[in-house]
Amino acid sequence: MGKAGLPVSPLAPASFPDLPVIGGVEFASGAAGVKYQGRTDVTLIRIAPGSTLAGAFTKSSTRAACVLDNQAKLAEGGEAPEGAAIIVNSGNANAFTGARGQESVDAVTGAVAEAMGVPAGRVFSSSTGVIGEPLPHDRIVSVIGDLASALDQNGAADAARAIMTTDTFPKGASATFDGNGGQIRVTGIAKGSGMIAPDMATMLVYIFTDAKISAPLLQQALDEALPSTFNAITVDSDTSTSDALILAATGRSDTAEITSLNDADGRAFALALAEVMRELAHLVVRDGEGATKFVEVRVTGAMDEGDATKVAMAIANSPLVKTAIAGEDANWGRIVMAVGKSGAVADRDMLTIRFGHLVLAQHGWRSPDYDEAQASAYMKNAELLIAVDLGLGQGARTVWTCDLTHGYIDINADYRS
Amino acid sequence: MGKAGLPVSPLAPASFPDLPVIGGVEFASGAAGVKYQGRTDVTLIRIAPGSTLAGAFTKSSTRAACVLDNQAKLAEGGEAPEGAAIIVNSGNANAFTGARGQESVDAVTGAVAEAMGVPAGRVFSSSTGVIGEPLPHDRIVSVIGDLASALDQNGAADAARAIMTTDTFPKGASATFDGNGGQIRVTGIAKGSGMIAPDMATMLVYIFTDAKISAPLLQQALDEALPSTFNAITVDSDTSTSDALILAATGRSDTAEITSLNDADGRAFALALAEVMRELAHLVVRDGEGATKFVEVRVTGAMDEGDATKVAMAIANSPLVKTAIAGEDANWGRIVMAVGKSGAVADRDMLTIRFGHLVLAQHGWRSPDYDEAQASAYMKNAELLIAVDLGLGQGARTVWTCDLTHGYIDINADYRS
């Protein structure tokens, strides 16, 4: 299903999950031929009146028109008394397309507003794909009527497929928990496999819940979950101009309103949301372009969290570390190199480096327990843990990444053609 | 001549240059079998009494014992009234080898001091290769006597070969200019092809001149040339734990002493030194692991030099930019992405992006003159210019990099075996 018939990532889950229906959310997907042929490339999502909204977006200074438009609309507030809609296309990012970029956003969101009877200020849009090519928005507009009449509560899986670019599998995740008076559901879909590095986000993500929760509290729950989820993954250190996460709460569950994130209900909601976000973030790494290894980098003992983040990201983004992992080489010397270049306070003689349960280095040198055969055997796993303890303080950070393989070069050396 | 018979980089010069002899500098190279077999791997350099010395070293917090030792020795001053020596081995970096690392440095530099009648405090050492393996320093010590009796003013080319690791060709450069009373010569050799990113240094570099110049002024000339030479190149954003540049001036030319970098003689010397440093830095990029393109990234119009550097390095280190170059794809959208993620102040609508003389994008969009066929034809060149003008201020920075290819993965996915 990926571009050019890429094989499905070896790190993909066995199947797309059964996602619980969220009352008040409907999906429709279709083929507008924006760029791809023979597959769906547009998704329309309707969100019921009375829902609340929150969002997080790329911090790129060259972000796309649709991102700027979404941010401006959410800045007006997260309430949607007359409902809201999301329209997404794949194949073209409508990024760096000058004034024409905003014209395309206005054309598409205006057409959705008209077809669905939703205020244009509550129609959000995303475009993903090639940068710098004008978006043929007429093709998208021409299918909106058909999509509006095909909306379906069970359409999330099809939507997850329609928004893919170089993704090799569709991504979905959910969580369900008992709220005060009934069950609460959280369901999300995402796309993304390259140009993945934090600062929010690095992909498109749409998450829905039937919880009753105010827009500011919804935004707070989202913001609190970002550092340990979407801002804790990196495939190639490159950050997209187009990435967006939109979160909607329809309030259709039978539960009481969540009025705080600190009581039992609020904590349960925050936990479920973070769980869905972490699962989707992991799926993006598992579909990292060319990835054959899913790697957790766990840094502890740093002077503070900032230093822990520097070290974790220096390791997770190092081409030399990532190629060694691809080669199943337990080259812990490159971990030492990455710690050294990170800019964090580090003391060579206090470092401990573990791969899984194996201690490779400590006290400034190779561990006396080091066993090359054991280390090499460990590297053959598809899921790896690299743990670094700096031995200096309480700062900790965990991030996730993948290896750097020939597949990454294959995909990216000729993406546009 | 590179590791595992790697083919010579397509960006290599046709031949090793004729390097002018520097009075007072002699070289000897031999095979100690530190790791490599069937090639030279140790170089000894003798620097005459009365010389002055300067140096620059990696800023890695996990730097190797020999780097720490060199820094401590130079901190005592750059004078060498009784002469100095440099001993270099390839194959093993003696980095992250605990207390044993310093013992190896002491053993090797002590043996050189004894064999050559030079104070141990004036014997500098470098080790390059695998990190975390104990250095078999006895093998090096055992060949020092032979090397000391084979010293030769014409040995620079052999030395350039002996210090190679994954390098595919030896690197040398020189400059000669008329000083006050005669000619002054500058000759340098270098190694380095991976783990290349600034913060000084990212390689081993030894530069010699017969100029008469005090140690502080020599250090000043070196420091002033670094930002536009060795700190302006990047292969993979990874910084070595072992990198070092040592500069020695023997004063053996017939010219008057250089007493300022601001008069004619001083400027001529600074220029010649910077020329040799830039040429050596470029040779390192031309031997970047797997490189098939030599790329100049020229950023202008930034708010300040710091912002220009952020943008230039974001472009030069972006895996997506570098793979597009490998694929000869004029994917200027990825340049926009890199500008956006750099953290520098940027205004999408003020950006101008050129590849060579071709304007690809300006005023926030694809240039009206953009011609895909022309752009694609340009990308087939082995030497490329990517120029970005931010249109905001006077900040400028030029850096050099190479593309990211299958060759990089081949070399680095299995370096240790």
Side-chain angles (χ1 to χ4, degrees):
Chain A
M1 197 57 199
K3 168 254 183 190
L6 288 173
V8 172
S9 168
L11 304 170
S15 63
F16 192 83
D18 272 335
L19 297 179
V21 161
I22 306 295
V25 182
E26 296 167 300
F27 306 82
S29 301
V34 171
K35 173 175 179 237
Y36 306 123
Q37 302 301 320
R39 55 160 279 190
T40 55
D41 61 354
V42 180
T43 281
L44 179 64
I45 306 172
R46 179 157 69 188
I47 299 160
S51 297
T52 54
L53 304 165
F57 302 92
T58 181
K59 289 185 181 136
S60 168
S61 63
T62 55
R63 49 192 180 271
C66 54
V67 174
L68 295 167
D69 185 69
N70 291 338
Q71 289 182 300
K73 287 170 175 172
L74 273 180
E76 303 285 312
E79 289 72 34
E82 302 170 69
I86 303 171
I87 176 98
V88 188
N89 77 271
S90 56
N92 183 312
N94 187 29
F96 208 67
T97 45
R100 191 160 160 178
Q102 185 59 44
E103 289 165 23
S104 289
V105 172
D106 291 341
V108 170
T109 57
V112 169
E114 195 173 332
M116 305 184 67
V118 167
R122 298 289 88 176
V123 180
F124 301 87
S125 68
S126 299
S127 294
T128 176
V130 171
I131 299 174
E133 302 287 336
L135 179 69
H137 59 251
D138 288 349
R139 298 184 201 168
I140 299 171
V141 168
S142 71
V143 302
I144 287 172
D146 286 347
L147 294 181
S149 63
L151 288 160
D152 182 345
Q153 284 194 323
N154 293 296
D158 287 343
R161 286 187 185 89
I163 63 178
M164 289 163 60
T165 56
T166 56
D167 303 64
T168 73
F169 62 88
K171 297 166 187 70
S174 69
T176 301
F177 66 99
D178 290 323
N180 183 359
Q183 275 206 324
I184 293 179
R185 296 156 200 88
V186 182
T187 277
I189 60 171
K191 65 83 47 178
S193 62
M195 226 187 254
I196 300 295
D199 243 0
M200 178 49 204
T202 38
M203 65 222 79
L204 301 182
V205 187
Y206 308 99
I207 303 178
F208 309 96
T209 176
D210 51 11
K212 291 183 181 75
I213 183 169
S214 71
L217 210 54
L218 191 65
Q219 184 70 49
Q220 185 188 333
L222 173 57
D223 292 343
E224 289 180 4
L226 279 174
S228 63
T229 60
F230 290 111
N231 283 353
I233 63 171
T234 179
V235 165
D236 53 14
S237 81
D238 279 338
T239 304
S240 167
T241 58
S242 304
D243 298 331
L245 183 159
I246 294 176
L247 168 62
T250 64
R252 297 292 177 98
S253 75
D254 300 323
T255 56
E257 182 173 347
I258 293 167
T259 54
S260 161
L261 298 180
N262 298 318
D263 61 18
D265 281 5
R267 281 198 303 273
F269 174 71
L271 213 64
L273 176 64
E275 182 184 324
V276 169
M277 288 169 66
R278 187 174 305 110
E279 174 65 16
L280 290 172
H282 286 190
L283 289 172
V284 169
V285 173
R286 287 175 182 280
D287 206 8
E289 290 171 342
T292 67
K293 307 280 188 188
F294 178 81
V295 185
E296 177 167 321
V297 179
R298 194 185 299 165
V299 175
T300 53
M303 294 291 280
D304 54 34
E305 195 188 332
D307 266 12
T309 300
K310 282 182 194 167
V311 171
M313 283 297 173
I315 294 169
N317 280 324
S318 162
L320 287 171
V321 170
K322 292 158 79 85
T323 48
I325 295 169
E328 301 186 335
D329 176 8
N331 195 326
W332 57 271
R334 293 184 183 172
I335 307 293
V336 176
M337 176 282 298
V339 171
K341 79 163 184 174
S342 69
V345 177
D347 178 338
R348 188 191 67 184
D349 296 343
M350 300 296 286
L351 269 181
T352 301
I353 299 173
R354 289 189 300 120
F355 282 17
H357 60 289
L358 302 171
V359 178
L360 280 79
Q362 59 186 150
H363 308 314
W365 201 33
R366 201 166 67 183
S367 163
D369 300 331
Y370 178 79
D371 179 319
E372 177 91 27
Q374 277 189 337
S376 295
Y378 178 73
M379 297 304 291
K380 300 206 179 300
N381 290 305
E383 313 214 350
L384 298 170
L385 167 66
I386 296 176
V388 173
D389 189 275
L390 295 169
L392 300 175
Q394 299 303 312
R397 186 78 193 267
T398 297
V399 304
W400 295 273
T401 190
C402 57
D403 53 345
L404 173 57
T405 68
H406 286 294
Y408 184 86
I409 311 277
D410 283 337
I411 294 165
N412 286 302
D414 200 22
Y415 176 65
R416 295 198 313 167
S417 58
Chain B
M1 200 52 202
K3 170 252 179 190
L6 288 172
V8 172
S9 167
L11 304 170
S15 62
F16 192 82
D18 271 334
L19 297 178
V21 161
I22 305 296
V25 182
E26 295 166 300
F27 307 81
S29 301
V34 170
K35 174 174 180 236
Y36 306 123
Q37 302 300 321
R39 54 161 280 190
T40 56
D41 61 354
V42 179
T43 281
L44 179 65
I45 306 173
R46 178 158 68 188
I47 299 161
S51 297
T52 54
L53 304 165
F57 301 92
T58 180
K59 291 186 181 134
S60 168
S61 63
T62 55
R63 48 193 179 274
C66 54
V67 174
L68 295 167
D69 186 68
N70 291 337
Q71 290 182 300
K73 287 171 175 173
L74 272 179
E76 304 284 312
E79 289 72 34
E82 302 170 67
I86 303 172
I87 176 95
V88 188
N89 76 272
S90 57
N92 184 312
N94 188 25
F96 208 66
T97 43
R100 191 160 162 176
Q102 184 59 44
E103 289 165 22
S104 290
V105 171
D106 291 341
V108 171
T109 57
V112 169
E114 194 173 333
M116 305 184 66
V118 166
R122 298 289 89 177
V123 180
F124 300 89
S125 68
S126 298
S127 294
T128 175
V130 169
I131 299 174
E133 302 287 336
L135 179 68
H137 59 252
D138 288 348
R139 297 184 201 168
I140 300 171
V141 169
S142 71
V143 301
I144 287 172
D146 287 347
L147 295 180
S149 62
L151 288 159
D152 182 345
Q153 284 195 322
N154 293 297
D158 286 342
R161 286 187 186 89
I163 64 179
M164 290 164 60
T165 56
T166 57
D167 303 64
T168 72
F169 62 89
K171 298 167 186 69
S174 68
T176 300
F177 66 99
D178 291 324
N180 183 359
Q183 275 205 325
I184 292 179
R185 297 158 200 88
V186 182
T187 277
I189 60 172
K191 66 81 48 177
S193 63
M195 227 187 253
I196 300 295
D199 241 1
M200 179 50 205
T202 39
M203 65 223 77
L204 302 182
V205 186
Y206 308 98
I207 303 179
F208 309 96
T209 176
D210 51 12
K212 292 184 181 72
I213 182 168
S214 71
L217 210 55
L218 190 67
Q219 185 69 49
Q220 186 188 334
L222 172 59
D223 290 344
E224 289 180 4
L226 279 172
S228 63
T229 60
F230 290 110
N231 283 352
I233 63 171
T234 179
V235 165
D236 53 14
S237 82
D238 278 337
T239 302
S240 167
T241 57
S242 304
D243 298 334
L245 184 158
I246 295 176
L247 169 62
T250 64
R252 297 291 177 98
S253 76
D254 300 324
T255 56
E257 183 174 347
I258 294 167
T259 55
S260 162
L261 297 179
N262 298 318
D263 61 20
D265 280 4
R267 282 198 302 275
F269 174 72
L271 214 65
L273 176 64
E275 184 185 321
V276 169
M277 288 169 65
R278 186 176 304 108
E279 175 63 16
L280 290 173
H282 285 189
L283 288 172
V284 169
V285 173
R286 287 175 181 281
D287 206 8
E289 290 172 342
T292 67
K293 308 280 189 188
F294 178 81
V295 185
E296 177 168 321
V297 178
R298 194 186 299 166
V299 174
T300 53
M303 294 291 279
D304 54 35
E305 194 188 333
D307 265 15
T309 300
K310 282 182 193 167
V311 171
M313 283 297 174
I315 294 169
N317 280 324
S318 162
L320 287 170
V321 170
K322 292 159 80 83
T323 47
I325 295 169
E328 302 187 335
D329 176 7
N331 194 328
W332 57 270
R334 293 185 184 171
I335 306 293
V336 175
M337 176 280 298
V339 172
K341 81 163 182 174
S342 70
V345 177
D347 179 338
R348 187 191 68 186
D349 296 343
M350 300 297 285
L351 269 182
T352 302
I353 297 172
R354 289 188 298 120
F355 282 16
H357 59 287
L358 304 170
V359 177
L360 279 80
Q362 59 187 148
H363 308 315
W365 202 32
R366 202 167 65 183
S367 163
D369 300 330
Y370 177 78
D371 180 319
E372 176 93 27
Q374 276 188 338
S376 294
Y378 177 73
M379 296 305 290
K380 299 205 178 301
N381 290 305
E383 311 214 352
L384 298 169
L385 167 66
I386 296 177
V388 173
D389 189 275
L390 295 169
L392 300 175
Q394 300 302 313
R397 186 80 193 265
T398 296
V399 304
W400 295 273
T401 190
C402 57
D403 53 346
L404 174 58
T405 68
H406 287 294
Y408 184 85
I409 311 276
D410 283 335
I411 294 166
N412 286 301
D414 200 21
Y415 175 63
R416 293 201 312 167
S417 58

